[in-house]
Amino acid sequence: ASLFSIDAAQVKAAFQVLDGDQSGFIEKAELSKWIATEKLDLDVEALFAQLDTNDDKQVSEDEFSQFFDHCPPSKLRTACRNVVLRSQASLLASELQDCSFLTDLSDH
């Protein structure tokens, strides 16, 4: 797989990260915040218009997924992949912190 490849599970995970309020939809403000955080040189309005295929002013998980099914390798794909990898790493770190064996090790 290339650096640009992103699978369905990664698309789903990226959607969940971008859906900051966990509403089940990505709103334009959430997309804008993410683009700023990732320091991407992307036009929020144009990208949102591409993602929001039914013009209901929000992006569903299906719309987000369909976009990636037809999207060629791009900065956006790479950024989504990076978001997923970072969120997986931080989730793993938090799970490891919850493990009692780490506490036991630190007592010795």
Side-chain angles (χ1 to χ4, degrees), residues 25-79:
F25 296 94
I26 298 170
E27 287 80 26
K28 194 179 295 181
E30 290 170 323
L31 185 66
S32 180
K33 179 181 175 185
W34 177 71
I35 287 173
T37 300
E38 292 295 313
K39 297 177 176 63
L40 298 173
D41 183 21
L42 295 171
D43 180 332
V44 175
E45 297 294 328
L47 178 57
F48 196 82
Q50 286 183 323
L51 290 166
D52 182 21
T53 56
N54 66 358
D55 294 325
D56 66 354
K57 308 296 184 229
Q58 56 189 6
V59 178
S60 69
E61 190 173 332
D62 282 344
E63 287 172 312
F64 191 72
S65 180
Q66 287 171 11
F67 176 81
F68 280 95
D69 287 346
H70 302 101
C71 175
S74 65
K75 286 188 280 189
L76 178 63
R77 287 178 79 98
T78 303

Side-chain angles (χ1 to χ4, degrees), residues 65-106:
S65 180
Q66 287 171 11
F67 176 81
F68 280 95
D69 287 346
H70 302 101
C71 175
S74 65
K75 286 188 280 189
L76 178 63
R77 287 178 79 98
T78 303
C80 279
R81 186 174 178 276
N82 291 341
V83 163
V84 172
L85 295 175
R86 276 200 307 278
S87 66
Q88 288 171 338
S90 61
L91 178 61
L92 179 60
S94 68
E95 286 175 0
L96 287 174
Q97 287 173 351
D98 291 340
C99 291
S100 60
F101 76 88
L102 289 179
T103 306
D104 294 341
L105 290 175
S106 62

